[in-house]
Amino acid sequence: MQRRDFFKKLGVVAAATALTPTISFASGAKSKNAMTYKTALDAITGGKTAKVSSKVKLKTPEIAENGAVVPVTVNVDSPMTSDNYVKAIHILASKNFNARSIDVNLTPANGKAMFSTRIKLGGTQDVIALVELSSGEFLMASQNVKVTIGGCG
């Protein structure tokens, strides 16, 4: 082995040794905003049970080619009167570090309980639409979305 080759290989080994702890710490690090699906669900519902309902229409693609921009549309079949209306729509992603993707508060002045946005998904997982009614009930619908590339996690 030549002296020059020896120093080249030594440099590669030193660089790999210096980067390995950094990479391993990054993968185990959690954000201070990390929130599991169960924690987010309990925080929103206050421990109440959410019923799966056909009144909540959740529209997402079955396969998302880009996990950074996954379109989500929620439409709730509910009257929007002052006595009976949809109070909030929450979008949750079951396996993201922060499962609580977005919360939208509504009033009867909105006229229709419908919301559309784009969310980030870290990988293949369930997307859940959680709807809070003015009566205090919670309704939900979910759909699995397969992320092929570009997940944020």
Side-chain angles (χ1 to χ4, degrees), residues 23-146:
I23 293 169
S24 65
F25 290 137
S27 64
K30 286 198 168 198
S31 167
K32 63 181 177 183
N33 294 327
M35 182 180 278
T36 65
Y37 170 69
K38 176 72 175 147
T39 305
L41 188 65
D42 287 343
I44 294 168
T45 63
K48 293 181 182 176
T49 304
K51 296 182 211 169
V52 175
S53 175
S54 61
K55 290 183 176 180
V56 180
K57 308 281 191 249
L58 174 64
K59 183 179 175 188
T60 62
E62 289 182 26
I63 299 173
E65 291 184 15
N66 186 356
V69 285
V70 178
V72 176
T73 300
V74 179
N75 197 346
V76 183
D77 183 22
S78 171
M80 291 296 280
T81 62
S82 60
D83 297 336
N84 186 11
Y85 63 96
V86 174
K87 194 173 177 183
I89 298 173
H90 308 274
I91 306 292
L92 305 173
S94 65
K95 292 184 181 173
N96 276 0
F97 283 118
N98 187 349
R100 202 168 180 170
S101 296
I102 191 163
D103 303 315
V104 178
N105 294 313
L106 302 172
T107 67
N110 291 103
K112 186 175 182 182
M114 187 253 182
F115 176 72
S116 186
T117 188
R118 294 173 188 253
I119 63 171
K120 284 186 177 183
L121 295 178
T124 300
Q125 58 189 293
D126 290 331
V127 173
I128 298 99
L130 182 64
V131 175
E132 181 178 1
L133 302 176
S134 60
S135 64
E137 278 185 86
F138 288 92
L139 305 176
M140 64 186 285
S142 67
Q143 184 172 341
N144 188 273
V145 177
K146 181 179 179 183

